[in-house]
Amino acid sequence: MKVVSSIIQMRKITRTLAADRKKIGLVPTMGFLHEGHLSLIRRAVRFSDIVIVSIFVNPAQFAPDEDFEAYPRDEKNDINKIKSTGGDIVFIPKVSDIYPDNFQTYVDVEIIAKSLEGKSRPLHFRGVTTIVAKLFNITRPDIAVFGLKDYQQAIVIRQMTRDLGLPIKIIIAPTVREKDGLAMSSRNCYFNPEQRKEAVCLYESLRIAKRAVKDEKIIDSAVLKGRMIKLIQSICPTAEIDYIAFTDFESIIPVKKVNKNTICSLAVKIHGVRLIDNMKMTGRGQLL
Ligand code: AMP
């Protein structure tokens, strides 16, 4: 397995791979890898000949008051995990190479990037789409794998890929959860054991909403949201709910009545740590 940090070297490698007609898969990450990331790498291994995993904590997607500096990093461990999961190349570019002096061009997806996460974190998706566009341009993948955990991000990237006419298939992989249901996240390491227990309230609230749809045939989003808020507050009384939204999966347009294309997404601050999660409100899966 190769570890590459130079953009020029990365380009050379991918050009050679393309000339050899190798199918390239890309898994962009910010590192501090967990089983969720590794599941994306496994999927990329299944669908491509060569898998590139990028590690880049992207300053452009963090607001000044967010945790860019504190974001957990462990490159050595990450490289070992990628190697044992079947990755072929780890690409770790430098911030100063990605954003050189006088950098001033961004990729900005309009409508679907402005609600939910985009509303709470106004420049976040502009940072995400810019770095992903740059990574696509440097690594020239045939496929790229993203997690459903960051559902809106995956939809926004798919839109960008279509709009810019990039010949890349975007694969969205299911959310990997801890035993109690908490979605795996690099940020979970911020919790002490007591706080960590309370963090399960995001998953539990999604689960009771899905249950209510299935068992009680409740489809009114406002009623479901009321139940979710109550449950979150009962598990974590200090939780700060940023949003709970029932939207159409593809368009991210809010829906008053749940239907088969509805996904519920939420963002909640648990003891100062902002977590997100989501769940399709009908169908199989994610309902213990
Ligand atoms: P991050 O390192 O947080 O930027 O995440 C890199 C990629 O891993 C993104 O496509 C995320 O959606 C995905 N990811 C993060 N957590 C999970 C998880 N628990 N299950 C599946 N994918 C995940």
Side-chain angles (χ1 to χ4, degrees):
M1 194 183 70
K2 274 201 183 82
V3 180
V4 178
S5 69
S6 144
I7 292 176
I8 293 171
Q9 197 194 346
M10 190 69 248
R11 280 191 199 286
K12 264 191 201 149
I13 293 171
T14 45
R15 220 174 281 148
T16 307
L17 290 169
D20 290 345
R21 297 196 178 283
K22 298 286 188 207
K23 191 170 174 187
I24 299 173
L26 174 69
V27 180
T29 80
M30 297 205 297
F32 208 68
L33 303 183
H34 50 65
E35 202 39 52
H37 297 112
L38 304 187
S39 76
L40 307 189
I41 298 172
R42 279 185 208 109
R43 200 159 282 234
V45 167
R46 257 189 20 229
F47 292 107
S48 44
D49 302 314
I50 296 288
V51 172
I52 303 172
V53 180
S54 63
I55 299 176
F56 185 69
V57 185
N58 176 30
Q61 69 190 67
F62 289 78
D65 62 339
E66 291 179 351
D67 57 346
F68 172 69
E69 294 294 344
Y71 195 83
R73 292 159 167 93
D74 188 354
E75 254 172 38
K76 220 171 137 195
N77 226 330
D78 288 345
I79 290 167
N80 286 334
K81 286 180 182 172
I82 294 166
K83 192 174 177 186
S84 58
T85 312
D88 300 288
I89 299 167
V90 188
F91 179 45
I92 313 180
K94 292 194 192 76
V95 173
S96 56
D97 287 342
I98 293 289
Y99 300 113
D101 286 348
N102 199 31
F103 182 90
Q104 50 186 301
T105 304
Y106 293 88
V107 178
D108 198 14
V109 173
E110 297 193 344
I111 302 159
I112 60 168
K114 303 303 174 207
S115 60
L116 310 181
E117 285 301 287
K119 200 165 174 191
S120 299
R121 308 176 70 191
L123 295 179
H124 172 69
F125 283 128
R126 187 184 83 149
V128 169
T129 41
T130 300
I131 185 60
V132 172
K134 290 200 69 154
L135 291 170
F136 282 178
N137 194 25
I138 295 164
T139 62
R140 300 290 169 123
D142 298 282
I143 65 147
V145 187
F146 295 87
L148 184 62
K149 156 79 173 29
D150 299 273
Y151 141 73
Q152 188 180 14
Q153 168 175 285
I155 299 287
V156 166
I157 287 166
R158 204 163 67 183
Q159 184 75 38
M160 172 194 80
T161 306
R162 271 190 209 137
D163 290 350
L164 297 182
L166 306 176
I168 302 166
K169 185 176 161 61
I170 304 300
I171 296 175
I172 305 179
T175 301
V176 177
R177 297 179 181 281
E178 302 286 357
K179 262 204 184 107
D180 65 353
L182 174 67
M184 288 191 181
S185 162
S186 306
R187 290 192 169 99
N188 293 347
C189 73
Y190 292 147
F191 295 122
N192 69 31
E194 281 311 305
Q195 297 169 337
R196 162 64 189 81
K197 268 188 216 154
E198 293 184 11
V200 78
C201 67
L202 278 83
Y203 170 70
E204 287 295 341
S205 71
L206 290 163
R207 200 166 75 121
I208 60 142
K210 186 162 183 164
R211 271 254 154 80
V213 173
K214 184 168 181 265
D215 297 345
E216 297 178 61
K217 311 289 176 234
I218 297 172
I219 57 165
D220 188 315
S221 303
V223 173
L224 295 167
K225 187 172 165 176
R227 288 196 184 188
M228 291 172 73
I229 293 171
K230 248 181 150 172
L231 186 111
I232 290 170
Q233 288 168 342
S234 75
I235 297 177
C236 181
T238 59
E240 297 165 59
I241 299 172
D242 180 353
Y243 63 80
I244 296 177
F246 291 82
T247 62
D248 177 72
F249 185 86
E250 297 291 333
S251 65
I252 321 196
I253 291 172
V255 295
K256 285 200 165 75
K257 306 275 178 216
V258 168
N259 63 56
K260 67 176 181 9
N261 299 318
T262 304
I263 185 162
C264 177
S265 321
L266 76 173
V268 183
K269 237 186 200 173
I270 306 291
H271 298 285
V273 180
R274 190 173 180 282
L275 297 180
I276 59 170
D277 200 351
N278 61 70
M279 198 179 278
K280 283 278 291 251
M281 282 294 106
T282 60
R284 274 162 20 89
Q286 311 276 17
L287 186 65
L288 294 178

